[in-house]
Amino acid sequence: TPIEDMGVYREYEDSGYAPQCLLYTNSRTSHGTLTAAEALRDSCNYFFYYLGDHLSIAKIDSVAKGLGLGIKTGIELSEATGYRANPETKALLHKGENAIWYQGNKIHAAIGQDDNRFTPIQLCSYVSTIANRGVRYKAHVVKGVKSPDLSETIMQSKNSGGYFSLYTTSFGALLSAVTNSLGDVSSADSSKSS
């Protein structure tokens, strides 16, 4: 369903909270009416504030986890787990009033902010999941270990990791962000070469 970017997300304005789309902040204009693919292409915060406001934090958290964010990757080295923004993470990382989960936390989580703290290897896993058309592989440094005379396989890495089912829309939209002249990434890149 298309959503109209109004520039300022006013759902919580009465409580003093009205986040803005970056385009509106910089130029006082909006992206207009966008589909999900166009919102990804243009990196429209307003669209994802709206979407995040209308989804449960459990759904947002589930999608992030499905992409390999905030979970161990399976690499054969010690690794930090990282964090996905949700009420449990906020309670773990903050104390007192700062540990209270608000609706504003959820809409910030929906655009990848708030308490989202991912490791570089998790971000590689996330990008790899998209590049592999929704298949998430475990990260590996070593493919396998052979005996000194190479006659026996002592350890073989397993490649299974999971499948991310929202792939089709995501991949096309992300590809558009870097290949379409209207895309946020493409526009930023072309401005550097001018």
Side-chain angles (χ1 to χ4, degrees), residues 130-157:
I130 294 167
N132 286 309
R133 301 187 178 268
V135 178
R136 182 168 42 89
Y137 294 103
K138 290 185 179 179
H140 294 286
V141 175
V142 178
K143 182 178 177 182
V145 177
K146 298 269 189 184
S147 62
D149 65 359
L150 304 177
S151 65
E152 175 183 353
T153 300
I154 297 170
M155 188 273 299
Q156 183 71 36
S157 296

Side-chain angles (χ1 to χ4, degrees), residues 17 19-20 44-50 52 60 105-114 116:
Y17 180 66
Q20 300 176 358
C44 178
N45 285 352
Y46 184 98
F47 184 97
F48 294 102
Y49 289 144
Y50 180 91
I60 294 168
N105 293 111
K106 185 174 76 160
I107 65 175
H108 274 255
I111 65 165
Q113 295 181 358
D114 204 70
N116 285 314

Side-chain angles (χ1 to χ4, degrees), residues 25-91:
T25 302
N26 291 337
S27 65
R28 295 295 185 240
T29 59
S30 77
H31 292 105
T33 302
L34 299 166
T35 64
E38 292 167 333
L40 277 169
R41 179 197 68 202
D42 296 344
S43 190
C44 178
N45 285 352
Y46 184 98
F47 184 97
F48 294 102
Y49 289 144
Y50 180 91
L51 185 64
D53 201 20
H54 291 82
L55 291 173
S56 69
I57 189 59
K59 181 64 175 174
I60 294 168
D61 192 56
S62 173
V63 170
K65 185 177 181 181
L67 286 166
L69 298 170
I71 59 174
K72 293 197 175 197
T73 63
I75 197 162
E76 296 89 353
L77 305 170
S78 64
E79 67 176 312
T81 304
Y83 299 99
R84 290 183 312 277
N86 57 45
E88 295 78 19
T89 295
K90 189 159 187 186

Side-chain angles (χ1 to χ4, degrees), residues 40-41 130 133 169-180 183 186:
L40 277 169
R41 179 197 68 202
I130 294 167
R133 301 187 178 268
T169 302
S170 304
F171 185 77
L174 291 170
L175 184 61
S176 176
V178 295
T179 60
N180 185 306
S186 179

Side-chain angles (χ1 to χ4, degrees), residues 88-109:
E88 295 78 19
T89 295
K90 189 159 187 186
L92 178 70
L93 298 177
H94 304 282
K95 304 248 183 275
E97 287 187 18
N98 292 333
I100 299 170
W101 181 261
Y102 296 100
Q103 190 71 2
N105 293 111
K106 185 174 76 160
I107 65 175
H108 274 255

Side-chain angles (χ1 to χ4, degrees), residues 114-128:
D114 204 70
D115 282 323
N116 285 314
R117 299 177 189 178
F118 309 127
T119 65
I121 194 72
Q122 287 172 354
L123 294 175
C124 289
S125 177
Y126 155 71
V127 171
S128 173

